[in-house]
Amino acid sequence: MAITKKRKALPKKKTTAKKTASRKAGTPPSSNGKKAVFVPTKLKLLRPVPSDIEIAQAGKLKPILQVAAELGIRENELELYGPYKAKVKLEILDRLAKRPNGKYIDVTAITPTPLGEGKSTTMVGLSQALGAHLGKRVFTCIRQPSQGPTFGIKGGAAGGGYSQVVPMEDFNLHLTGDIHAITAAHNLCAAALDTRMFHESNQDDEKLFNALCPLDKKGSRRFSPSMLRRLKKLGIEKTDPNDLTPEERSRFARLDIDPNGIAWRRVMDTNDRFLREVMVGLGKEEAGHEHRSGFDITVASEIMAILALTTSLSDMRDRLGHMVVATDKRGQSITAEDLGVAGALTVLMKDAIKPNLMQTLEGTPAFVHAGPFANIAHGNSSIIADKIALKLADYVVTESGFGADIGMEKFFDIKCRYSGLIPQVVVLVATVRALKMHGGGPKVVAGKPLAPEYTDENLDLLRAGLGNLQHHIRNAKRFGVNVVVAVNSFATDTPAELEMIRQAAIEAGAEDAAVCTHWMDGGKGAVALAEAVIKAAEKPTNFQFLYPLEVSIKEKIETICKEIYGADGVDYLPEAEAKIELYNKLGFDKLPMCMAKTHLSLSHDPALKGVPKGYRVPIRDIRASVGAGFLYPLLGEMRTMPGLPTRPVFYDVDLDLETGKVVGLF
């Protein structure tokens, strides 16, 4: 009481309720030793709602140094990339090691339409509601989008409307160059693999050894650090090249790569369907070394998955070294470490490992870091960003890609397994239009107007699709985590439709379900959702993985297919059977599964909507991302290089030459 009176007696400017709430929530000290008070950025809401880029460019941004100070990040822990974005150094984790973690929240969704259901927008709106309207210390952790979808058909991933991460042009275009670093590292590894095969074919063991360990001017030889790691793998405990026997020199120098066992392709961050399958080695000097290869999109690279799952610089170095790029003629794995390239890959990735600090339209902080696809890789932002954020905030809101059957399952069974972090709440995003689609509505096609069934009230159609929502709620609760449903509302939704979804969610076991208007109202439109999340985060959880790592590859695959997707069983094609046999032999069978499947259905078939029954899942192939730490089965027809549509988004993107502003991005 005395403190309250003292505060009232102090002469000061008028303080808004929001700022008072922020002070009560507590703020860490800034770099100059003073208390850094979080100041929300006020939105100017316009009607009709302008385009995303118009909203973003009209927004008032705080200097990134202010965003950092409000969090308690010291200036010497930052690497600035202009006035509005910065990388945060990993050393901050040492300083904050003894701080307790905040609450951990994953935002996921029901099975979406091709338009997406506003999951990123909901995540940002929820964060803005928690921080700018309820006075909580909050951090958003979001993936960096690929240039492929940005210039293809989907657009960016910064959120939308009045719930965005800004500057949105930077967010969607290059940012601080992390994806370029991954592209460079991946393709260096590909070049190292092909050139090693070329040189081994032209040299005997002695010449090969002499080329790898040449004499210096003093007549001495030495092993590089990567070579010493290879020697250890071979069980050769020698550090002087001159001490190796002829047999040891041969084992060390000759990888004897099987041309049919190459598992490493090239990557680029553009949707280019004509590079899916290519022939390499067609030059005159490479005659006789031609072989089939191809390109994947950069975000499907194992190096991207490693960036998202690593926990430190040394851990990343080890993971890069363990990447399996091929097998030898005896069927043994060949790694990036064996090629001698892992150290160089780490150098290319040394800056990319640092999370990128940005902000939302309402001034709450955001980490943008890593961007693996969820239908190909595990679809979650980085463990490192989450770990730093959890030390700085009361609530950390992150997002797992696509529907809960893909991104959420991988968030739990892969990301949480490697991070050791335990989530308190799952926020499941649902929309009227998606549930109507699952109820048997007409096909939804990106770029085309919605059919009247989606824009007119139709309770029967909606009711028929509610099973998809309820299935996802049950799946989330299977992991022992509390569920809150966010009903992302559109202008054509009716109160009766929205209430039907709310009731169905609670009946299925959700702690609560809130109707949200954050796209048009910013954080104010997600306050009810934020309040529900706060309550759910205080309730006990009983988190558990879906399967133990000790069971067989097939048992893990079948557990996911039956329990998460609802399939009757699994069929393995001959190539998948051969890979299972190989991976058992190589000792990869204890890794978790990262299912590569369509996001447009609970099943492997995008045409099967709702909650499909009476089907079996075909496993076409299984690939190994040993450095990242998972195997990824390919379900049905899954591509790792998307294609561009007839009318890509890039038609609209240009530069205003007078102002220098990007136009037409979204």
Side-chain angles (χ1 to χ4, degrees):
M1 193 67 169
I3 294 175
T4 304
K5 288 181 179 177
K6 186 176 180 181
R7 281 182 176 167
K8 286 183 177 179
L10 288 173
K12 60 181 181 180
K13 294 181 180 179
K14 185 178 179 182
T15 304
T16 65
K18 291 175 187 174
K19 290 183 181 179
T20 303
S22 297
R23 291 189 180 103
K24 286 181 179 178
T27 49
S30 67
S31 56
N32 61 11
K34 296 180 180 179
K35 290 286 184 180
V37 177
F38 170 72
V39 180
T41 302
K42 187 174 178 58
L43 291 177
K44 183 180 180 182
L45 303 175
L46 300 179
R47 300 292 185 268
V49 178
S51 69
D52 289 352
I53 194 166
E54 289 174 318
I55 292 171
Q57 290 178 343
K60 183 179 179 181
L61 275 66
K62 302 176 189 177
I64 202 65
L65 286 172
Q66 180 183 343
V67 175
E70 290 175 354
L71 285 163
I73 299 175
R74 297 171 179 170
E75 193 169 338
N76 64 2
E77 293 169 333
L78 297 172
E79 292 177 359
L80 298 179
Y81 282 73
Y84 302 119
K85 57 186 184 290
K87 280 190 169 290
V88 176
K89 299 176 184 177
L90 303 194
E91 289 81 358
I92 192 173
L93 280 169
D94 296 329
R95 179 170 68 84
L96 303 177
K98 294 183 180 180
R99 279 197 192 173
N101 285 346
K103 302 291 186 182
Y104 199 27
I105 301 151
D106 177 48
V107 179
T108 184
I110 63 171
T111 306
T113 69
L115 307 176
E117 307 320 304
K119 181 156 45 64
S120 299
T121 307
T122 300
M123 174 180 60
V124 176
L126 170 60
S127 295
Q128 292 179 162
L130 286 167
H133 296 267
L134 297 180
K136 304 296 183 183
R137 281 191 294 165
V138 65
F139 222 126
T140 307
C141 291
I142 190 170
R143 288 177 295 164
Q144 180 183 352
S146 164
Q147 178 180 298
T150 296
F151 288 128
I153 195 167
K154 184 177 182 293
Y162 288 102
S163 294
Q164 296 187 59
V165 175
V166 285
M168 71 94 82
E169 306 99 310
D170 295 6
F171 182 100
N172 288 300
L173 302 172
H174 305 297
L175 196 56
T176 56
D178 295 349
I179 292 181
H180 298 311
I182 293 165
T183 304
H186 185 109
N187 292 335
L188 175 61
C189 189
L193 174 60
D194 282 343
T195 201
R196 184 59 173 265
M197 294 177 66
F198 173 79
H199 288 301
E200 284 194 17
S201 69
N202 296 323
Q203 300 178 56
D204 60 28
D205 290 352
E206 190 62 23
K207 285 184 177 179
L208 197 59
F209 178 79
N210 288 334
L212 291 171
C213 300
L215 292 168
D216 62 19
K217 293 180 180 180
K218 297 180 179 180
S220 301
R221 303 180 192 270
R222 68 175 184 85
F223 288 126
S224 70
S226 190
M227 290 176 176
L228 292 171
R229 291 179 183 237
R230 171 162 170 75
L231 288 168
K232 185 176 182 180
K233 173 184 173 180
L234 295 173
I236 300 173
E237 300 293 335
K238 297 177 180 178
T239 57
D240 187 342
N242 296 312
D243 292 341
L244 268 62
T245 66
E247 187 270 339
E248 288 171 338
R249 288 188 175 195
S250 177
R251 288 176 59 210
F252 161 75
R254 189 164 297 280
L255 300 182
D256 205 21
I257 298 164
D258 181 357
N260 296 317
I262 296 174
W264 198 260
R265 292 151 57 93
R266 271 77 174 171
V267 297
M268 64 185 300
D269 197 40
T270 300
N271 291 356
D272 194 339
R273 65 178 73 244
F274 283 91
L275 293 179
R276 287 171 178 164
E277 299 293 333
V278 301
M279 289 292 293
V280 298
L282 299 180
K284 184 188 299 184
E285 293 183 4
E286 292 74 40
H289 297 279
E290 306 90 344
H291 64 86
R292 289 179 66 89
S293 185
F295 279 76
D296 298 328
I297 195 161
T298 297
V299 288
S301 167
E302 182 174 353
I303 298 177
M304 173 61 88
I306 286 173
L307 178 65
L309 289 171
T310 193
T311 53
S312 67
L313 192 60
S314 61
D315 176 71
M316 183 175 73
R317 171 66 178 80
D318 288 341
R319 286 175 179 268
L320 292 171
H322 282 97
M323 294 188 305
V324 174
V325 298
T327 54
D328 64 20
K329 292 175 182 177
R330 300 186 309 278
Q332 299 300 308
S333 59
I334 300 294
T335 66
E337 199 73 77
D338 293 323
L339 291 174
V341 74
L345 304 183
T346 307
V347 170
L348 287 171
M349 293 293 295
K350 68 179 179 64
D351 293 320
I353 195 174
K354 303 164 189 171
N356 304 294
L357 180 64
M358 297 182 74
Q359 63 190 289
T360 70
L361 281 168
E362 296 194 57
T364 60
F367 269 146
V368 184
H369 201 214
F373 275 0
N375 57 348
I376 300 170
H378 68 288
N380 285 267
S381 58
S382 77
I383 287 173
I384 283 177
D386 289 0
K387 285 195 166 187
I388 296 173
L390 284 163
K391 296 297 183 184
L392 293 168
D394 300 323
Y395 296 89
V396 172
V397 184
T398 189
E399 170 194 11
S400 52
F402 292 128
D405 55 312
I406 306 181
M408 182 196 72
E409 185 271 319
K410 296 173 183 179
F411 173 77
F412 290 145
D413 281 322
I414 298 175
K415 184 176 180 180
C416 290
R417 202 184 293 265
Y418 284 122
S419 69
L421 300 173
I422 297 176
Q424 280 75 40
V425 182
V426 163
V427 175
L428 185 67
V429 179
T431 62
V432 169
R433 75 179 178 202
L435 291 171
K436 285 182 175 179
M437 179 191 72
H438 290 299
K443 188 175 183 179
V444 177
V445 180
K448 293 185 179 180
L450 289 170
E453 288 88 341
Y454 295 108
T455 55
D456 298 337
E457 183 175 284
N458 192 326
L459 297 178
D460 291 338
L461 189 61
L462 177 61
R463 186 179 294 108
L466 290 173
N468 187 271
L469 167 67
Q470 293 167 329
H471 184 92
H472 285 297
I473 293 171
R474 288 191 292 269
N475 278 346
K477 290 177 69 67
R478 191 187 303 271
F479 290 91
V481 180
N482 298 320
V483 181
V484 173
V485 170
V487 187
N488 188 17
S489 176
F490 292 87
T492 56
D493 300 339
T494 69
E497 289 175 328
L498 297 170
E499 183 59 24
M500 180 178 283
I501 297 174
R502 281 193 70 257
Q503 291 300 323
I506 293 169
E507 289 170 9
E511 299 296 326
D512 202 349
V515 176
C516 307
T517 59
H518 45 275
W519 179 80
M520 64 186 297
D521 294 324
K524 182 177 68 173
V527 168
L529 174 64
E531 290 172 340
V533 167
I534 291 169
K535 290 179 182 177
E538 296 303 322
K539 294 184 178 181
T541 58
N542 183 29
F543 179 68
Q544 56 190 349
F545 300 120
L546 184 66
Y547 54 80
L549 295 181
E550 292 71 29
V551 300
S552 69
I553 292 173
K554 284 189 174 181
E555 285 179 278
K556 283 178 273 202
I557 291 172
E558 289 162 18
T559 297
I560 296 170
C561 289
K562 291 178 180 178
E563 296 194 22
I564 299 298
Y565 310 154
D568 287 350
V570 178
D571 297 319
Y572 301 91
L573 277 65
E575 188 168 357
E577 291 280 12
K579 290 293 183 63
I580 290 172
E581 182 180 353
L582 174 64
Y583 297 154
N584 284 332
K585 175 185 172 184
L586 295 174
F588 301 161
D589 56 308
K590 298 299 183 284
L591 294 173
M593 296 298 118
C594 185
M595 310 293 270
K597 83 170 192 77
T598 179
H599 62 290
L600 296 173
S601 172
L602 279 166
S603 74
H604 64 284
D605 183 351
L608 300 178
K609 304 301 183 184
V611 185
K613 300 293 183 185
Y615 70 94
R616 297 178 65 83
V617 175
I619 306 296
R620 177 167 55 89
D621 190 11
I622 304 176
R623 297 177 184 173
S625 290
V626 180
F630 54 71
L631 303 180
Y632 63 104
L634 301 179
L635 282 61
E637 295 298 321
M638 273 302 303
R639 292 194 177 104
T640 51
M641 169 59 84
L644 287 170
T646 305
R647 209 281 190 188
V649 173
F650 63 65
Y651 272 92
D652 300 313
V653 179
D654 213 321
L655 195 68
D656 185 321
L657 298 178
E658 292 186 5
T659 65
K661 288 185 176 181
V662 175
V663 296
L665 199 52
F666 314 109

